[in-house]
């Protein structure tokens, strides 16, 4: 049997093939190597320059970072198509998810969008000026107010969400339904500890 020495550049692809190999270590018949991406090149370069380090985390997190950039572009494009900025969609969607009568206290909006009180006050003012939300007295608190989604605000946020989901489906088009579910489960496992820490 002829032995072949793997270069650093070939290690990432070889690892993926080896993971699916049979007991004898040979790739299954009919399989093809996974396509390379920029992260493969990045990892190969680091392995060559810093062989003393385990760069395995880059296999996952560098790809997550790159996907996040593409998602951000998709989100901003979907919102801009409906005259919204990302922060406007965040506030309007929080109200929309609340269900009829589509209203929340400013405090609840703070918790939903993770901004300061002063920032939220400014955002509500701007959304009210645009006719997307309006304030009304809180019947359970004489000093409080409720922020309510207007009919126009509901129409805009619904249209923006539909557009966003179309763009997000396009980002996931290379995955089957089962692969999407598996990826969602794995990412949830990573995120749960962070969510727990924030509570």
């Amino acid at each position: 049997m002829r032995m072949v020495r793997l270069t650093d550049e070939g290690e990432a692809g070889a690892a993926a093939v080896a993971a699916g190999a049979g007991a004898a270590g040979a790739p299954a018949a009919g399989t093809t190597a996974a396509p390379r991406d920029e992260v493969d090149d990045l990892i190969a370069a680091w392995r060559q320059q810093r062989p003393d380090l385990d760069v395995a985390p880059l296999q996952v997190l560098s790809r997550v970072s790159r996907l996040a950039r593409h998602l951000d572009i998709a989100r901003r494009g979907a919102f801009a198509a409906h005259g919204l900025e990302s922060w406007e969609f965040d506030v309007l969607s929080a109200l929309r998810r609340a269900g009829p009568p589509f209203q929340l206290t400013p405090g609840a909006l703070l918790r939903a969008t993770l901004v300061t009180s002063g920032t939220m006050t400014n955002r509500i003012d701007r959304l009210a000026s645009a006719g997307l939300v309006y304030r009304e007295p809180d019947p359970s608190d004489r000093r409080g107010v409720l922020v309510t989604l207007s009919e126009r605000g509901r129409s805009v946020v619904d249209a923006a969400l539909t557009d966003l989901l179309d763009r997000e489906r396009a980002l996931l088009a290379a995955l089957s339904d089962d692969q999407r579910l598996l990826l969602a489960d794995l990412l949830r496992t990573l995120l749960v500890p962070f969510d727990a820490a924030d509570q």
Side-chain angles (χ1 to χ4, degrees):
M1 178 178 178
R2 187 166 65 92
M3 301 300 291
V4 178
R5 180 180 181 275
L6 292 175
T7 63
D8 288 333
E9 290 78 8
E11 288 178 359
V17 173
T31 60
T32 58
R36 290 177 65 84
D37 62 9
E38 292 181 359
V39 176
D40 289 319
D41 296 333
L42 179 152
I43 290 169
W46 276 124
R47 282 177 171 163
Q48 185 175 30
Q49 297 301 318
R50 292 298 308 271
D52 56 310
L53 294 179
D54 176 11
V55 296
L58 298 177
Q59 293 271 20
V60 175
L61 298 178
S62 286
R63 290 184 170 97
V64 169
S65 177
R66 280 164 165 73
L67 284 170
R69 296 177 200 170
H70 291 292
L71 176 59
D72 183 59
I73 292 170
R75 285 174 58 87
R76 287 189 282 112
F79 303 152
H82 300 277
L84 296 176
E85 296 183 36
S86 295
W87 68 263
E88 291 175 306
F89 179 83
D90 289 343
V91 176
L92 297 178
S93 62
L95 292 168
R96 182 67 174 89
R97 291 194 306 271
F102 309 111
Q103 60 184 200
L104 292 169
T105 64
L109 284 172
L110 283 177
R111 292 188 292 274
T113 57
L114 303 177
V115 298
T116 65
S117 177
T119 297
M120 180 53 64
T121 297
N122 178 263
R123 291 182 174 182
I124 293 171
D125 288 343
R126 294 173 63 179
L127 289 169
S129 296
L132 300 173
V133 305
Y134 58 90
R135 291 182 175 93
E136 57 184 297
D138 185 347
S140 65
D141 183 354
R142 289 186 299 175
R143 295 178 299 175
V145 298
L146 293 171
V147 181
T148 303
L149 190 64
S150 69
E151 286 295 328
R152 178 170 177 267
R154 179 179 173 184
S155 176
V156 169
V157 73
D158 280 353
L161 177 61
T162 299
D163 193 351
L164 173 62
L165 290 174
D166 288 341
R167 296 174 191 235
E168 290 187 346
R169 287 189 192 94
L171 290 176
L172 296 171
L175 300 179
S176 68
D177 289 344
D178 287 343
Q179 287 173 323
R180 295 181 192 186
L181 290 174
L182 175 60
L183 179 58
D185 287 342
L186 294 172
L187 292 173
R188 183 185 301 109
T189 299
L190 289 177
L191 285 171
V192 163
F194 294 99
D195 290 344
D198 290 337
Q199 293 177 358

